[in-house]
């Protein structure tokens, strides 16, 4: 597998001094992700990782199960957790979160052996938004995104054809949302069809789960495909290529994988998928890394979000500062970038 992991001086933000401290009094407190690289793991470190788990209204989620390697913790009534002594790949520490009533959440970060890493994960509701009769098929739409079923597209977990109503849980992740880094799983690192490591440039994501009349888990039947439609608007529509690769999130390894493609039709991407998880319409780019330190009056600024966008505003990467004020993440090679530092309310305090 080809790996792009180097740090030319042109992309190292050595130390950004923030003369006036970032505000942290708003409801949104700890932020989001950081990117790195996949298995096999050859070296591990002992890391401490903490943060908060919230719902889509930014309310804390109590009792969520947080897993890092072999370590598990549960969030308290404030949605907070802390796991210490977790043995993780220093380049790709994979944090998974589970709670009934929500899609599984996750984050991939570059962990530190000397400072506590801080993350924030937003869990998305998986309450059904519509249903179809499997024998007839049909369309379910939510927030402009759609899933289109033909007859008998859905099977039970044992592979047997399902008979009855297919309840569809669906969440569209708008790439223009400032909190996309909190909502999406993992990070934006991926393996393409040749197993080469790429950094993704998202044009929209879709999470889908299927359940039966008795709550049983369902998925696409073997040999069948279901159509997905992902809406585009603004700069994402203006910059959209006519075709784009589709990527699904591998929840076991915490990385996106290429499978199929979508075609631009009007103001939406249309493609077909053979199973359901999180799906992503993305341009792949060879990656490099960026790292730096955020300071406030000489003191490290902890838990602050750093985003990388192209000049038109499309997001190309996310990172969160750790207990030492350090951030480290993947960005596309040979690309003009704008680096924004966000306060606790998601407002830009520094743009460079």
């Amino acid at each position: 597998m080809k790996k792009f992991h180097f740090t030319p001086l042109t992309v190292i933000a050595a130390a950004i001094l923030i003369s006036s401290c970032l505000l942290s009094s708003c409801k949104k407190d700890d932020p989001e992700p950081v990117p790195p690289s996949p298995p096999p793991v050859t070296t591990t470190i002992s890391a401490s990782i903490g943060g908060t788990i919230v719902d889509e209204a930014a309310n804390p989620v109590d009792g969520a199960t947080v897993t890092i390697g072999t370590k598990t913790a549960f969030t308290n009534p404030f949605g907070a957790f802390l796991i210490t002594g977790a043995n993780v790949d220093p380049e790709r520490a994979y944090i998974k979160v589970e709670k009934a009533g929500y899609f599984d959440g996750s984050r991939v970060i570059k962990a530190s052996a000397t400072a506590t890493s801080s993350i924030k994960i937003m869990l998305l509701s998986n309450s059904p938004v519509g249903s179809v009769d499997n024998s007839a098929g049909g369309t379910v739409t939510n927030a402009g995104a759609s899933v289109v079923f033909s007859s008998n597209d859905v099977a039970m977990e044992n592979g047997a054809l399902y008979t009855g109503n297919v309840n569809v849980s669906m969440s569209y992740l708008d790439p223009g949302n400032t909190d996309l880094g909190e909502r999406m799983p993992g990070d934006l690192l991926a393996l393409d069809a040749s197993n080469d490591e790429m950094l993704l440039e998202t044009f929209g994501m879709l999470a889908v789960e299927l359940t039966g009349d008795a709550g049983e888990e369902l998925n696409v039947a073997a040999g069948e495909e279901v159509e997905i439609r992902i809406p585009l608007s603004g700069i994402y529509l203006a910059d959209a290529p006519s075709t784009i690769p589709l990527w699904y999130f591998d929840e076991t390894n915490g990385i996106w994988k290429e499978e199929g493609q979508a075609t631009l039709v009007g103001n939406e991407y249309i493609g077909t998928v053979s199973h359901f998880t999180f799906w992503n319409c993305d341009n792949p780019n060879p990656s490099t890394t960026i790292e730096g330190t955020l300071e406030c009056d000489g003191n490290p600024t902890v838990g602050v979000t750093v985003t990388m966008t192209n000049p038109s505003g499309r997001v190309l990467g996310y990172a969160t500062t750790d207990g030492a004020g350090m951030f480290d993440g993947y960005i596309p090679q040979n690309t003009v970038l704008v680096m924004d530092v966000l306060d606790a309310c998601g407002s830009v305090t520094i743009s460079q």
Side-chain angles (χ1 to χ4, degrees), residues 134 152-166 210-224 274-275:
N134 194 38
N152 298 320
D153 272 344
V154 177
M156 303 181 70
E157 282 197 306
N158 62 6
L161 182 66
Y162 172 74
T163 301
N165 291 317
V166 178
L210 309 179
T211 53
D213 288 323
E216 63 270 50
E217 294 184 2
L218 307 173
N219 217 314
V220 182
E224 302 294 337
S274 60
H275 55 96

Side-chain angles (χ1 to χ4, degrees), residues 107-152:
R107 186 63 24 80
V108 175
I109 66 170
K110 183 170 184 178
S112 170
T114 59
T116 300
S117 300
S118 177
I119 64 168
K120 182 178 182 181
I121 296 176
M122 182 178 291
L123 297 184
L124 310 177
S125 170
N126 68 353
S127 297
V129 296
S131 65
V132 298
D133 184 332
N134 194 38
S135 64
T139 300
V140 175
T141 300
N142 186 45
S146 300
V147 180
V148 182
F149 298 88
S150 299
S151 61
N152 298 320

Side-chain angles (χ1 to χ4, degrees), residues 21 45 61 68 70 97-98 131 134 142 156 159 164 188 222 231 247 255 260 263 266 273 293 313 318 326 338:
C21 297
I45 62 170
V61 176
I68 306 173
T70 60
V97 184
E98 298 174 281
S131 65
N134 194 38
N142 186 45
M156 303 181 70
L188 289 173
W247 312 76
I255 195 164
T263 301
V273 301
T293 303
Y318 297 89
M326 295 288 296
V338 176

Side-chain angles (χ1 to χ4, degrees), residues 1-345:
M1 179 177 72
K2 187 192 301 180
K3 187 174 181 182
F4 303 87
H5 192 298
F6 51 88
T7 52
L9 292 177
T10 54
V11 299
I12 296 180
I16 302 171
L17 300 179
I18 305 177
S19 58
S20 58
C21 297
L22 299 172
L23 299 177
S24 59
S25 59
C26 297
K27 186 175 184 180
K28 287 194 168 186
D29 22 56
D30 299 82
E32 67 234 7
V34 183
S37 105
V41 176
T42 56
T43 304
T44 62
I45 62 170
S46 178
S48 295
I49 301 173
T52 55
I53 310 301
V54 300
D55 63 18
E56 292 170 89
N59 296 314
V61 176
D62 184 14
T65 303
V66 182
T67 303
I68 306 173
T70 60
K71 294 267 189 171
T72 299
F74 299 93
T75 55
N76 65 17
F78 301 100
F81 75 93
L82 175 64
I83 292 179
T84 60
N87 290 322
V88 298
D89 176 355
E91 295 297 304
R92 287 187 66 79
Y94 182 34
I95 301 101
K96 296 187 284 188
V97 184
E98 298 174 281
K99 172 75 174 180
Y102 300 92
F103 288 98
D104 290 349
S106 64
R107 186 63 24 80
V108 175
I109 66 170
K110 183 170 184 178
S112 170
T114 59
T116 300
S117 300
S118 177
I119 64 168
K120 182 178 182 181
I121 296 176
M122 182 178 291
L123 297 184
L124 310 177
S125 170
N126 68 353
S127 297
V129 296
S131 65
V132 298
D133 184 332
N134 194 38
S135 64
T139 300
V140 175
T141 300
N142 186 45
S146 300
V147 180
V148 182
F149 298 88
S150 299
S151 61
N152 298 320
D153 272 344
V154 177
M156 303 181 70
E157 282 197 306
N158 62 6
L161 182 66
Y162 172 74
T163 301
N165 291 317
V166 178
N167 300 303
V168 182
S169 302
M170 179 168 54
S171 183
Y172 164 61
L173 285 71
D174 187 338
N177 284 353
T178 58
D179 60 5
L180 177 65
E182 298 171 6
R183 293 171 177 265
M184 72 180 192
D187 57 12
L188 289 173
L189 205 65
L191 296 177
D192 68 11
S194 299
N195 213 38
D196 287 334
E197 193 173 280
M198 293 289 171
L199 186 75
L200 300 182
E201 184 181 351
T202 183
F203 282 75
M205 306 181 192
L206 186 64
V208 178
E209 289 180 355
L210 309 179
T211 53
D213 288 323
E216 63 270 50
E217 294 184 2
L218 307 173
N219 217 314
V220 182
E224 302 294 337
E225 291 187 326
V226 173
E227 183 178 278
I228 61 171
R229 300 186 174 205
I230 296 180
L232 298 166
S233 61
I235 56 174
Y236 291 92
L237 178 58
D239 294 348
S242 59
T243 61
I244 196 167
L246 280 171
W247 312 76
Y248 73 90
F249 189 68
D250 179 343
E251 295 184 2
T252 300
N253 297 305
I255 195 164
W256 297 93
K257 293 184 177 180
E258 183 178 5
E259 187 176 297
Q261 69 174 22
T263 301
L264 182 63
V265 180
N267 65 343
E268 57 187 3
Y269 274 127
I270 300 178
T272 57
V273 301
S274 60
H275 55 96
F276 279 122
T277 174
F278 281 82
W279 284 91
N280 204 346
C281 294
D282 292 63
N283 271 335
N285 301 280
S287 64
T288 185
T289 57
I290 187 167
E291 59 187 31
T293 303
L294 295 184
E295 296 179 355
C296 175
D297 296 337
N299 299 312
T301 305
V302 181
V304 170
T305 302
V306 180
T307 66
M308 301 292 169
T309 64
N310 71 357
S312 67
R314 287 188 289 109
V315 174
L316 302 177
Y318 297 89
T320 302
T321 57
D322 63 18
M326 295 288 296
F327 67 89
D328 187 303
Y330 281 96
I331 54 173
Q333 293 182 21
N334 304 315
T335 303
V336 175
L337 297 172
V338 176
M339 181 172 65
D340 291 330
V341 178
L342 309 182
D343 65 16
C345 307

